């Protein structure tokens, strides 16, 4: 017969972390990217995978590694005089110290204090999108 005291109990903090990792959707809330990453790492998942964020504020400070299948739809990527400032090009073969996001979707989200990194192709595409959005915004401001 086993004693019930032998069974380790989960702390409230650990239970909340596991619940965060299990969630697939986030809507109209602030998401602190470093905490999201740490909770996934504590659960043995080195990449945040398969989540959808809608109308959320994604907060850093953090660098997001944009991986396969991750999409941004009508998002505000951050404030910078030069949008290229938000993009960080990896120098080595691998990237360390970043929050990997794979197969995630961001819909109408705002990013605050988040930099972005990934493959050269991803960075070039994001640069085009950021510069294009900036030109469209300037043109709308001139018309108003």
């Amino acid at each position: 017969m086993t004693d019930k005291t032998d069974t380790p109990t989960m702390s409230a903090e650990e239970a909340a972390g596991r619940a965060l990792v299990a969630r697939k959707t986030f809507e109209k809330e602030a998401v602190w990217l470093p905490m999201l990453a740490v909770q996934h790492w504590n659960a043995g998942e080195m990449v945040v995978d398969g989540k959808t964020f809608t109308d959320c504020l994604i907060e850093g400070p953090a660098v997001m590694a944009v991986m396969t299948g991750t999409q941004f739809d009508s998002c505000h990527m951050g404030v910078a005089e030069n949008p290229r400032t938000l993009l960080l090009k990896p120098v080595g073969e691998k990237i360390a110290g970043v929050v990997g996001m794979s197969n995630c979707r961001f819909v109408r989200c705002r990013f605050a204090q988040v930099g972005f990194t990934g493959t050269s192709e991803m960075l070039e595409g994001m640069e085009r999108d950021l510069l294009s959005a900036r030109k469209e915004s300037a043109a709308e401001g001139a018309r108003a």
Side-chain angles (χ1 to χ4, degrees):
M1 192 154 125
T2 60
D3 186 348
K4 295 214 184 258
T5 59
D6 291 344
T7 305
T9 58
M10 188 182 309
S11 71
E13 185 177 320
E14 185 178 359
R18 288 190 183 194
L20 184 69
V21 171
R23 286 179 65 185
K24 293 295 180 188
T25 61
F26 297 79
E27 291 186 43
K28 297 182 180 176
E29 59 190 289
V31 178
W32 189 35
L33 204 49
M35 183 177 70
L36 183 67
V38 167
Q39 294 300 339
H40 277 76
W41 298 338
N42 288 343
E45 298 179 23
M46 301 314 290
V47 171
V48 178
D49 185 60
K51 312 272 187 208
T52 299
F53 303 85
T54 305
D55 297 315
C56 290
L57 171 62
I58 311 298
E59 299 178 288
V63 174
M64 178 188 293
V66 181
M67 303 169 78
T68 303
T70 295
Q71 305 170 359
F72 301 94
D73 182 14
S74 300
C75 293
H76 184 284
M77 305 309 284
V79 176
E81 188 173 314
N82 180 346
R84 292 179 181 107
T85 305
L86 301 171
L87 307 177
L88 305 167
K89 186 174 183 176
V91 178
E93 294 174 16
K94 294 186 178 190
I95 307 168
V98 298
V99 181
M101 303 294 281
S102 176
N103 300 306
C104 291
R105 186 166 182 231
F106 297 89
V107 181
R108 297 181 306 277
C109 292
R110 290 181 304 120
F111 291 83
Q113 295 299 312
V114 177
F116 302 91
T117 192
T119 64
S120 294
E121 295 81 18
M122 185 285 303
L123 289 171
E124 289 167 7
M126 189 172 262
E127 179 180 3
R128 277 191 309 274
D129 292 346
L130 288 170
L131 294 173
S132 174
R134 183 176 182 146
K135 286 179 186 173
E136 286 177 24
S137 178
E140 286 177 15
R143 285 190 293 256

